[in-house]
Amino acid sequence: MKLNNKTALITGGSRGIGGAIAKLFAKEGANISFCHLNDENNAKNTKDYINSLGRKCLAQNLDISSRENCDLLVSKTLEEIGVPDILVNNAGIIYARPFEKATEEEFDKIINVLLKSTFFITQNCYKEMLKNKSGKIINISSQLVFSGGPNRTDYCAAKGGIFAFTRALALEAVKYNIHVNNIAPGVAQTDLLNGIDQKVLDDAKEIIPMNRFADPNEIAPTALLLASDDGSFYCGATLSPNGGEVMV
């Protein structure tokens, strides 16, 4: 019960890494608000699990690439669940194609879903955390901020922005007892891998010392560390559970 009576807001919380974090946080005592995009079945399953533990849960179907929906996500959380003690910016999308084939529309979508939403959802929660002089903000970037990734230039650019944003805000926030940190996971077995050629996936596994992708449940405990009192001395840090592919 490391998060007993806490409230956590998680973007992209219906499945994958976000879903694993939502369930683990609820198991540890937190009430949960999360958003998803047209993922009603998984959202219902996640919400039912959280409710079965006796926790409150709010699930919102929102496209957080717009500022309006970023504001709505937080305002409804405040209204129905309470002020977030913990924020996890996890939602993401990815396009895999050569740099020269990237379009402005795809670039804007990647930046808006990953970086813009992180900035403005955090800003809305931060204002509330300032009132309480307390909070934990956890951003999910990627190990690709260290290694780079061919055919994912806009994704890497957005995740690199999240990495830098984390460090900048951490320096402002720490004096108010608000801790801002970053998780840079390696490849995890999530729906973001759907549609990728199997040979590409097999080749990717071969360069990981553990020779496999992560289960989302192996990433979630890192978020729990940063969200709980166990992570009380982390400030602007980046933790990278990646099976040894990138040692940072």
Side-chain angles (χ1 to χ4, degrees):
M1 301 297 287
K2 293 183 177 182
L3 304 179
N4 196 32
N5 295 322
K6 300 291 186 181
T7 295
L9 171 57
I10 302 164
T11 66
S14 60
R15 63 181 189 233
I17 292 174
I21 292 171
K23 290 176 181 177
L24 180 59
F25 280 13
K27 187 177 178 181
E28 292 289 337
N31 297 314
I32 306 294
S33 172
F34 71 86
C35 68
H36 64 94
L37 184 60
N38 302 327
D39 190 30
E40 296 292 350
N41 287 338
N42 285 316
K44 182 181 184 305
N45 291 337
T46 299
K47 183 176 180 179
D48 287 348
Y49 174 82
I50 293 168
N51 288 152
S52 74
L53 298 172
R55 317 288 180 247
K56 296 179 183 177
C57 183
L58 171 65
Q60 300 183 61
N61 185 0
L62 290 173
D63 180 352
I64 56 172
S65 64
S66 76
R67 172 68 188 275
E68 179 183 7
N69 282 344
C70 290
D71 295 346
L72 180 61
L73 173 65
V74 178
S75 64
K76 289 201 70 172
T77 298
L78 294 175
E79 179 182 340
E80 298 192 28
I81 302 293
V83 174
D85 303 287
I86 305 155
L87 168 64
V88 181
N89 289 300
N90 165 78
I93 58 172
I94 192 169
Y95 299 113
R97 69 281 190 262
F99 172 59
E100 68 272 15
K101 294 185 178 180
T103 67
E104 182 179 7
E105 181 182 7
E106 291 170 342
F107 176 84
D108 288 345
K109 189 70 173 179
I110 285 277
I111 294 297
N112 289 343
V113 172
L114 273 64
L115 184 56
K116 180 180 177 180
S117 74
T118 293
F119 190 96
F120 286 109
I121 292 170
T122 299
Q123 187 182 65
N124 288 342
C125 290
Y126 185 73
K127 291 175 182 178
E128 299 299 323
M129 291 175 176
L130 283 174
K131 298 174 185 177
N132 294 334
K133 296 292 190 294
S134 178
K136 300 291 181 71
I137 297 169
I138 303 164
N139 298 321
I140 309 294
S141 61
S142 168
Q143 69 169 12
L144 295 180
V145 303
F146 305 113
S147 65
N151 301 319
R152 293 164 179 80
T153 47
D154 44 8
Y155 180 84
C156 290
K159 290 296 191 179
I162 291 171
F163 173 80
F165 167 70
T166 298
R167 291 186 167 190
L169 182 58
L171 294 174
E172 286 191 45
V174 69
K175 60 180 172 289
Y176 302 111
N177 195 36
I178 300 171
H179 297 179
V180 187
N181 293 289
N182 179 53
I183 302 174
V187 183
Q189 196 67 52
T190 72
D191 288 349
L192 286 182
L193 301 184
N194 292 347
I196 298 178
D197 184 78
Q198 187 59 48
K199 185 179 186 309
V200 173
L201 296 177
D202 290 341
D203 290 345
K205 287 179 183 178
E206 286 185 3
I207 63 175
I208 301 172
M210 289 190 178
N211 200 36
R212 65 178 178 84
F213 298 149
D215 184 287
N217 292 307
E218 294 178 295
I219 307 299
T222 303
L224 177 61
L225 167 67
L226 295 174
S228 70
D229 290 341
D230 291 342
S232 60
F233 205 56
Y234 286 93
C235 175
T238 294
L239 304 184
S240 187
N242 62 55
E245 184 177 355
V246 179
M247 298 185 183
V248 295

